[in-house]
Amino acid sequence: MPKEATQETEKRGRKASKETRRQQLIEATIDSLAKRGYSETTMADVADGAGLSRGIVNFHFESKEKLLVATLQYMADEYAAHWRATREKASDDPARQLQMLVAADFDRSICNKRKLAAWCAFWGEAKSRPTYQALCGARDEAYQNVIIDLCAALKADAGYDFEPHSMALGLSAMLEGLWLRLMMGTENVTRETAHLAATEYLASAFPKHFSREAERSKRPA
């Protein structure tokens, strides 16, 4: 193999290794946040959880704060990619898009106790940390604008008597509340029962587009 090709292969290997290590540390951070909470999570906990040396943690992330910001950025990007991909799979029908977006919020890839606990840890700190507010806010604003547009489209189609911004806010707040109940284990809530509650909301808010019988037959992935 030519020298240039060998060097390029080695370079790609080092890059892949660096990305792999960073991902290991981010996943270990999510685990620690879920297990210990925000204030009790340390760089040492993350290193032990990832099975790596503490020096490796310091090499990739100079401080706990930088590690936590990277973790929140990863989770925000993952959530955004998830709902955007879900919307792309839907037809142009606004009702179908809204239905799939609601179901996507309870997909086990993003809706599990581990990640919900990590989200709650960050939400608890966001008020006093502008960086967290910015990351969470960017995620919320883009998603919320899509929900507003879909609510407006359904109103125009069926002549509903609601204000799209208020309806979208209520829908988003309801979904976030169900996430909190799932994280806390309140009232034996499961992903399936939470999704059912969300579909009941859709049927009540948009009765000309969703039927309770049809929605109850669906289950989140």
Side-chain angles (χ1 to χ4, degrees), residues 74-117:
Y74 167 77
M75 293 178 63
D77 290 345
E78 179 187 50
Y79 183 85
H82 181 70
W83 72 255
R84 291 179 191 279
T86 297
R87 191 183 183 199
E88 289 177 0
K89 294 176 184 176
S91 64
D92 292 335
D93 177 21
R96 178 59 175 162
Q97 289 187 32
L98 187 58
Q99 177 189 55
M100 290 183 66
L101 286 175
V102 167
D105 243 27
F106 302 100
D107 187 290
R108 70 176 72 251
S109 66
I110 61 166
C111 183
N112 54 66
K113 287 189 175 181
R114 173 176 170 267
K115 289 182 180 176
L116 292 179

Side-chain angles (χ1 to χ4, degrees), residues 13-34:
R14 289 193 298 271
K15 182 179 180 180
S17 178
K18 180 179 180 181
E19 292 172 351
T20 298
R21 290 286 182 266
R22 284 177 62 88
Q23 188 60 36
Q24 283 179 282
L25 294 171
I26 286 172
E27 293 292 345
T29 302
I30 294 173
D31 288 338
S32 184
L33 288 170

Side-chain angles (χ1 to χ4, degrees), residues 124-138:
E125 296 292 322
K127 184 176 181 180
S128 60
R129 298 178 184 274
T131 301
Y132 294 5
Q133 290 180 30
L135 287 173
C136 292

Side-chain angles (χ1 to χ4, degrees), residues 7-97:
Q7 291 176 338
E8 182 62 26
T9 299
E10 292 175 349
K11 182 179 179 180
R12 287 199 301 269
R14 289 193 298 271
K15 182 179 180 180
S17 178
K18 180 179 180 181
E19 292 172 351
T20 298
R21 290 286 182 266
R22 284 177 62 88
Q23 188 60 36
Q24 283 179 282
L25 294 171
I26 286 172
E27 293 292 345
T29 302
I30 294 173
D31 288 338
S32 184
L33 288 170
K35 181 179 180 180
R36 302 177 180 87
Y38 185 93
S39 61
E40 297 300 317
T41 289
T42 67
M43 297 282 272
D45 293 326
V46 173
D48 292 342
L52 300 171
S53 70
R54 298 178 188 180
I56 290 292
V57 183
N58 291 325
F59 173 76
H60 290 286
F61 302 99
E62 297 173 358
S63 66
K64 174 183 173 179
E65 181 61 20
K66 289 185 177 181
L67 173 60
L68 289 168
V69 168
T71 300
L72 178 55
Q73 181 69 69
Y74 167 77
M75 293 178 63
D77 290 345
E78 179 187 50
Y79 183 85
H82 181 70
W83 72 255
R84 291 179 191 279
T86 297
R87 191 183 183 199
E88 289 177 0
K89 294 176 184 176
S91 64
D92 292 335
D93 177 21
R96 178 59 175 162
Q97 289 187 32

Side-chain angles (χ1 to χ4, degrees), residues 20 47-48 78 102 114 121 123 137 141 146 158 160 185-186 196:
T20 298
D48 292 342
E78 179 187 50
V102 167
R114 173 176 170 267
W123 286 338
E141 182 178 4
V146 169
Y160 293 125
T186 306
L196 178 59

Side-chain angles (χ1 to χ4, degrees), residues 11 13 36 47 108 139 163 167 170-171 200:
K11 182 179 179 180
R36 302 177 180 87
R108 70 176 72 251
R139 165 211 158 184
E163 200 286 310
M167 179 60 76
L171 176 57
E200 289 281 351

